[in-house]
Amino acid sequence: MNETSGEQLYAAAVGMIHASQCAELALSPELTIIACNEGYSSLQGVPGDTLIGKPIRQVFREDAAVELLLTSLESVLSLRRPHQVTAPVPTPVAGSPARRSPRSVCMTNIPVLDADGAVRWIVHSLDAASDSDDRSATAAALEAAEARLRSILQTVPDAMIIIDDHGRIESLSTTAEQLFGYSLAEIAGDNVSRLMPSPDREQHDAYIRRYLSTGERRIIGIGRIVVGQRKDGTTFPMHLTVGELRSGERHYFTGFIRDLTAQQLTEARLKELQLEVTHMSRYTALGEMASTLAHEINQPLTAISNYLRGSQRLLDKIETESTPMLREALGKAADQALRAGHIIRRLREFVARGESDRRVENLAKLVEDASALGLVGAHEGGITVTYRLDPRAGFVLADRIQIQQVLVNLIRNAIEVMLEVPAERRLEISTAALAGDFAEISISDTGLGLAPEVASHLFQPFVTTKPKGIGLGLSISRTIVEAHGGRIWVEDRPGGGTIFRFTLRRAEVEEADNAG
């Protein structure tokens, strides 16, 4: 039971005690009086507000009647079951009883249990009884107490269902009737599994039998999200908290239910908004990249302009001896134009991809396909390639094309740096399942390594260690990995070289089965 439901239940109980025609008290587990109605106050001749907040032993004189009462209350606390005892009316320390009878009364003490099975408070009732009708009075008191308790529970605003130890529905609150579409009259006595879809419907009775036989709590006192089924067959998400209630020899389970449909719709909308923000952030980053590109593109465009102006001057002369120079100038202009076009084209392709199309992918297959593309020329360069693939990192949630692009980029970078060293050239590609929901992919090389000042900003746009690189490959790789919910970083390799690592979210086995 959540805290709000507990407070509502407590307030409802106090209200019912004050509305009761019987003489009643409500006691805390410490046996302190927390509520007293007019019937009890009148019977004892003591103002009820003077009893509130006081322990039982401070309120009544120490005599046999009080000892019987305390023994009964302690039994309720230890066994969490109702208990009755016939004894004289306990005598208050203060006050003059207005109409106390010398006859014995039936004291009925009913525990009200919280969702975790602990006693939340105790209802203490006094009912007149004679020697000839003690048994019938006790039964009547129990019946009245159970009826009052059922009325209290019915006032809880959350949907609530009471079932017996066979899973049969005993009570259904008004809110529950509205939520599931059944009235109590048409579903009372039916198995509660009627309100569940498969497979919970077929397994529910086994859950109850296991608890009753072993006492092991797997649901009771533990709130969890499950699925309910309405009368019309539609299903909905709900938060279920189960409490245990014992009354007399009978055993009940109380389910407090909160419909999560509206909450999940809100969460879905928030997720959409987050995607929109992420989408906008992506284009903001592209805008910043474009402004930087404008500066870089300006240099080749300036060169093009200069070469073209020079060519124009040469064309004005049109002399045979200048033809070679003209051709060279035009060639250089073409080269620079191609370079500018290449930069713009790569940016355009990046923007055109938009949001990634993520699916459940076999990580080993992703590595295999990317290696087929990235390792072209590796054997000729004397590079030895080894694989260490963790079978536990079986499936990931990824856009296949984009992640292959990241792998190919990292593999090609590793090959290029190793071709510059005369020593051993060894490339290692490995995967590993991390604690939690992620898998790690690493590309290790035996190249020259990275200077600290370069490594610190290697993934920023236009930072490159290659003479002919433009510095977008690693920046784009970082954007792709982070869009997948992972991260990418670089480390020094023991013995020399570098290790690039990035993470991807692993897919559940069920997702992989559905995908395959």
Side-chain angles (χ1 to χ4, degrees):
M1 187 190 311
N2 58 41
E3 184 176 352
T4 301
S5 296
E7 293 174 354
Q8 293 168 340
L9 185 59
Y10 171 77
V14 172
M16 292 299 297
I17 287 174
H18 283 289
S20 174
Q21 300 298 316
C22 299
E24 290 188 345
L25 293 177
L27 304 170
S28 71
E30 294 76 29
L31 303 185
T32 297
I33 298 174
I34 57 177
C36 175
N37 70 0
E38 186 177 347
Y40 199 94
S41 174
S42 176
L43 177 65
Q44 294 288 18
V46 178
D49 57 359
T50 63
L51 304 180
I52 306 300
K54 294 182 179 179
I56 285 290
R57 285 193 178 274
Q58 292 183 13
V59 171
F60 298 109
R61 300 182 188 277
E62 294 187 7
D63 54 21
V66 170
E67 292 304 321
L68 287 173
L69 171 59
L70 291 173
T71 299
S72 175
L73 293 172
E74 289 169 357
S75 173
V76 170
L77 289 172
S78 61
L79 300 178
R80 295 180 298 170
R81 290 174 175 268
H83 189 270
Q84 304 85 35
V85 61
T86 301
V89 178
T91 304
V93 173
S96 300
R99 50 185 180 86
R100 189 188 307 145
S101 170
R103 296 189 311 164
S104 295
V105 295
C106 178
M107 293 188 288
T108 303
N109 299 307
I110 303 288
V112 176
L113 304 183
D114 210 337
D116 59 1
V119 176
R120 187 175 182 83
W121 37 273
I122 303 173
V123 177
H124 168 64
S125 303
L126 297 180
D127 290 283
S130 63
D131 293 338
S132 61
D133 61 1
D134 278 353
R135 183 174 300 176
S136 60
T138 299
L142 268 177
E143 182 178 347
E146 290 182 4
R148 287 195 297 274
L149 181 57
R150 191 170 291 111
S151 298
I152 292 171
L153 294 175
Q154 287 285 357
T155 63
V156 178
D158 284 346
M160 187 208 69
I161 301 174
I162 298 178
I163 64 172
D164 64 13
D165 50 9
H166 296 288
R168 294 174 299 213
I169 296 174
E170 290 275 340
S171 179
L172 203 67
S173 70
T174 302
T175 308
E177 289 179 332
Q178 296 170 351
L179 181 59
F180 288 96
Y182 290 101
S183 66
L184 178 59
E186 61 183 316
I187 203 173
D190 289 354
N191 195 291
V192 72
S193 61
R194 185 173 176 180
L195 305 179
M196 309 172 188
S198 296
D200 290 339
R201 173 177 295 178
E202 291 77 19
Q203 298 173 355
H204 183 264
D205 287 350
Y207 298 154
I208 296 180
R209 288 194 299 270
R210 181 176 60 227
Y211 170 69
L212 293 176
S213 62
T214 66
E216 180 183 358
R217 292 172 175 242
R218 295 191 179 183
I219 300 177
I220 295 176
I222 304 173
R224 66 174 186 176
I225 297 176
V226 295
V227 178
Q229 180 170 298
R230 300 185 181 90
K231 182 178 180 179
D232 60 8
T234 59
T235 59
F236 63 97
M238 66 185 196
H239 185 274
L240 172 67
T241 303
V242 179
E244 184 182 7
L245 175 66
R246 296 176 182 176
S247 180
E249 297 302 319
R250 305 185 68 182
H251 199 127
Y252 301 95
F253 297 99
T254 306
F256 293 88
I257 298 165
R258 188 169 70 254
D259 187 0
L260 297 180
T261 303
Q263 178 179 329
Q264 291 200 353
L265 288 175
T266 300
E267 290 175 352
R269 178 54 185 156
L270 286 175
K271 187 174 182 180
E272 290 178 4
L273 292 174
Q274 288 173 347
L275 287 175
E276 291 175 4
V277 171
T278 302
H279 186 74
M280 185 59 64
S281 298
R282 183 186 182 93
Y283 279 94
T284 300
L286 286 176
E288 295 175 357
M289 188 182 298
S291 64
T292 309
L293 271 174
H295 174 72
E296 291 293 316
I297 292 175
N298 184 61
Q299 295 180 13
L301 289 180
T302 300
I304 290 173
S305 178
N306 292 335
Y307 283 127
L308 288 177
R309 283 196 297 269
S311 298
Q312 184 63 49
R313 287 193 294 270
L314 291 174
L315 285 175
D316 291 339
K317 297 179 181 180
I318 310 180
E319 295 178 2
T320 304
E321 60 270 22
S322 64
T323 301
M325 296 177 60
L326 177 60
R327 288 175 179 171
E328 182 181 0
L330 290 176
K332 290 181 178 179
D335 290 342
Q336 293 297 326
L338 286 175
R339 180 170 179 254
H342 181 64
I343 294 173
I344 295 173
R345 182 167 60 256
R346 290 192 66 176
L347 178 61
R348 184 178 300 155
E349 289 172 354
F350 180 70
V351 175
R353 275 197 307 272
E355 295 295 334
S356 56
D357 182 19
R358 282 173 245 170
R359 299 182 181 180
V360 177
E361 299 287 352
N362 186 309
L363 182 55
K365 187 68 167 57
L366 276 177
V367 172
E368 177 185 350
D369 293 343
S371 298
L373 298 173
L375 293 175
V376 175
H379 179 70
E380 291 78 3
I383 297 174
T384 302
V385 182
T386 59
Y387 296 87
R388 289 191 303 106
L389 305 181
D390 186 349
R392 296 175 302 166
F395 294 89
V396 293
L397 195 62
D399 182 311
R400 180 174 58 87
I401 300 299
Q402 290 189 350
I403 296 305
Q404 284 180 355
Q405 179 183 354
V406 173
L407 285 167
V408 169
N409 185 49
L410 295 179
I411 291 172
R412 295 305 304 171
N413 285 351
I415 291 174
E416 290 176 13
V417 298
M418 285 191 290
L419 290 177
E420 298 176 1
V421 298
E424 178 188 17
R425 298 169 179 173
R426 182 156 48 88
L427 175 68
E428 181 174 278
I429 303 173
S430 62
T431 63
L434 302 181
D437 300 326
F438 288 89
E440 181 186 275
I441 302 93
S442 61
I443 312 296
S444 172
D445 66 65
T446 55
L448 295 173
L450 295 171
E453 61 271 20
V454 175
S456 62
H457 56 276
L458 187 61
F459 295 98
Q460 296 177 7
F462 310 113
V463 174
T464 180
T465 59
K466 295 184 288 187
K468 297 182 180 180
I470 61 174
L472 283 178
L474 291 178
S475 175
I476 292 174
S477 295
R478 183 189 66 176
T479 301
I480 291 173
V481 171
E482 291 180 351
H484 279 70
R487 67 186 188 97
I488 185 170
W489 68 100
V490 63
E491 299 174 353
D492 289 330
R493 177 183 175 276
T498 56
I499 305 176
F500 281 86
R501 303 183 190 273
F502 68 96
T503 59
L504 294 173
R505 190 175 296 278
R506 283 193 289 155
E508 298 293 337
V509 176
E510 294 81 5
E511 293 177 304
D513 291 341
N514 293 334

